[in-house]
Amino acid sequence: MSEALTPETPEAVLDEAADEAGEEEPIKQRKNGLYPGVSDELAASMKSGWADTELRGLAPIAQAGYTAARRAALSARFPGERLVIPAGNLKTRSNDTEYPFRASVEYAYLTGNLTEDGVLVLEPVADGHKATIYLLPRSNRENGEFWLSGQGELWVGRRHSLAEAEQLYGIPASDVRELPAALKEATGPVRVVRGHDAAIEAALTDKVTREHDDELRVFLSEARLVKDEFEAGELQKAVDSTVRGFEDVVKVLDKAEATSERYIEGTFFLRARVEGNDIGYGSICASGPHACTLHWVRNDGPVRSGDLLLLDAGVETHTLYTADVTRTLPVNGTYTEIQKKIYDAVYDAQEAGIAAVRPGAKYRDFHDAAQHVLAERLVEWGLLEGPVERVLELGLQRRWTLHGTGHMLGMDVHDCAAARTETYVEGTLEPGMCLTVEPGLYFQADDLTVPEEYRGIGVRIEDDLLVTEDGNRNLSAGLPRRSDEVEAWMASLKG
């Protein structure tokens, strides 16, 4: 029996023994496992008798041409510099279980690869850069990694070989385990996208600066402001699945009434997992006064007939593009008079915001247009003293609107967040930009400044808009927005 694999042997002793012998570090076994070790005979058996599963003649991923163009733009921006973009590592959820992995946006945007521990390196050459994607190769069968390691192939599934990766992503591939040592020896200017891989950052600790690294991240954020054709198609896929998820929810509102908001959350999640990678962010399934909490993600409250349900949710595609759509629905299918009054005000504000989305317009224009309508209604209802211009100048409407009217959308639900203010919030809309328009009114249940009938009502309507050459295209137009159309749509889905 190989004592090096017995759980009773302290890991520190194993590591020290391996170092002294110049051997590969033994695979650590879980403490309190039911098997005390591995016999030599079993170890030998597990090394042989396996079919060749190498995949050959693989077609490149659909976005390979687009990712190559993105890398070329990055290369042109930072000539003569080594650029290091990590995917990130698994994060522990508890003890020996991990959260589902999601590659860093910068890495996924430039490679299309979504596996943990990957690193893209652009090495400067005379005419630009040479790209290499560093990945974990197939699990080692000689040392038993593939069946003894918790991240081995027989535990978590097969990963692509380096040769397969080269075919898929169109980038030369190397073993990522060799990269930290190589980076330590690297010379010349280097930039790294921080916050994803501590080992890679440690290898570069004396070669990089925060200022230069921030410039790299800003560039990659701004590069995503305008979506290419592939990205626009993925966003439409995300929205189309999201529309079906909203339909799923309406069909089971009776079951949600019998349980809680969790039923709505679970129903939408099923659609996201069946048709996409995941939800793009924590679903907001806010019924009744919970709709007044902007990011209500506890989703543990009751769903009652007569209340409104604010559902803010989005499906994330397998390529990590997410939708972000909100509808505020009457649980019983019909708005009350006061609910409709508030809903229609938000609808009118959204209409004004959508009309302002067009190429050449200032990014702020859609927000200003929507806020003007909301301020007008609040003055009209006697909740604020006019004139409207005074209300807007002082921001008084924000007691009941609070948030901005939208944001960029893409691989992050709040995409391009590191972009400079002058190119984002103070920038100009261009064809290919994708953003949300989502005005809202929220009257807290304990707000004594409004009539009692308003209290506990929250309404938000949100759609995803792609800026086109002549205006915009509402990607989420498949979901009704006008109050009477919402009622008719819900009635049709309920049979």
Side-chain angles (χ1 to χ4, degrees), residues 74 105-106 109-110 193 214-227 231 408 412 414-420 423-424:
L74 176 61
V105 166
E106 296 86 357
Y109 177 74
L110 293 167
V193 176
D214 285 348
E215 288 175 357
L216 172 60
R217 186 172 181 219
V218 167
F219 174 82
L220 290 172
S221 197
E222 292 183 359
R224 301 198 309 276
L225 283 168
V226 176
K227 271 59 180 178
E231 293 178 290
M408 292 294 181
D412 281 326
H414 298 137
D415 207 27
C416 312
R420 291 167 296 169
T423 60
Y424 189 157

Side-chain angles (χ1 to χ4, degrees), residues 163-358:
E164 292 168 353
E166 290 186 359
Q167 298 173 66
L168 290 169
Y169 307 111
I171 312 172
S174 293
D175 190 335
V176 72
R177 294 171 297 189
E178 301 169 0
L179 182 58
L183 290 177
K184 286 181 180 179
E185 302 301 319
T187 59
V190 185
R191 297 178 193 255
V192 62
V193 176
R194 299 185 181 220
H196 301 300
D197 193 318
I200 295 300
E201 290 182 36
L204 294 170
T205 186
D206 60 340
K207 307 176 192 299
V208 295
T209 66
R210 170 68 68 177
E211 179 183 2
H212 286 178
D213 294 346
D214 285 348
E215 288 175 357
L216 172 60
R217 186 172 181 219
V218 167
F219 174 82
L220 290 172
S221 197
E222 292 183 359
R224 301 198 309 276
L225 283 168
V226 176
K227 271 59 180 178
D228 58 38
E229 184 180 10
F230 176 83
E231 293 178 290
E234 289 299 295
L235 285 164
Q236 186 66 70
K237 285 182 188 176
V239 170
D240 290 345
S241 290
T242 298
V243 168
R244 289 187 283 273
F246 274 67
E247 292 172 346
D248 296 339
V249 167
V250 171
K251 292 175 182 177
V252 300
L253 281 177
D254 58 333
K255 294 182 174 63
E257 287 188 64
T259 52
S260 75
E261 296 162 339
R262 291 279 170 90
Y263 203 96
I264 295 166
E265 178 183 357
T267 298
F268 187 85
F269 180 71
L270 176 62
R271 177 66 65 174
R273 287 293 283 162
V274 167
E275 295 193 2
N277 175 61
D278 206 331
I279 50 175
Y281 53 96
S283 299
I284 299 168
C285 309
S287 182
H290 288 163
C292 300
T293 301
L294 300 183
H295 287 168
W296 177 260
V297 293
R298 299 179 200 172
N299 299 333
D300 58 1
V303 178
R304 298 189 178 100
S305 179
D307 282 347
L308 294 177
L309 166 68
L310 191 157
L311 177 58
D312 184 337
V315 172
E316 177 185 80
T317 67
H318 295 291
T319 56
L320 307 188
Y321 289 86
T322 185
D324 181 9
V325 178
T326 307
R327 290 294 183 269
T328 305
L329 311 172
V331 173
N332 63 11
T334 304
Y335 295 101
T336 66
E337 184 177 348
I338 184 63
Q339 290 170 351
K340 185 177 185 301
K341 172 183 174 180
I342 297 170
Y343 184 96
D344 289 349
V346 174
Y347 172 82
D348 290 344
Q350 194 198 30
E351 282 283 275
I354 290 174
V357 175
R358 57 184 178 274

Side-chain angles (χ1 to χ4, degrees), residues 410-449:
M411 299 183 87
D412 281 326
V413 65
H414 298 137
D415 207 27
C416 312
R420 291 167 296 169
T421 300
E422 56 265 34
T423 60
Y424 189 157
V425 174
E426 302 298 341
T428 300
L429 295 180
E430 300 177 38
M433 289 183 170
C434 188
L435 63 148
T436 69
V437 178
E438 51 173 314
L441 283 173
Y442 314 91
F443 299 101
Q444 303 296 329
D446 59 350
D447 189 346
L448 302 181
T449 69

Side-chain angles (χ1 to χ4, degrees), residues 39-94:
S39 68
D40 294 335
E41 292 78 5
L42 176 58
S45 171
M46 293 298 289
K47 290 182 182 181
S48 62
W50 305 100
D52 178 11
T53 61
E54 183 73 10
L55 303 175
R56 299 170 178 85
L58 294 174
I61 59 173
Q63 67 267 46
Y66 295 97
T67 56
R70 297 167 194 165
R71 293 193 299 273
L74 176 61
S75 173
R77 171 62 180 81
F78 298 104
E81 301 186 45
R82 182 178 282 102
L83 308 174
V84 182
I85 301 94
N89 317 121
L90 289 170
K91 292 182 172 59
T92 299
R93 181 179 184 272
S94 177

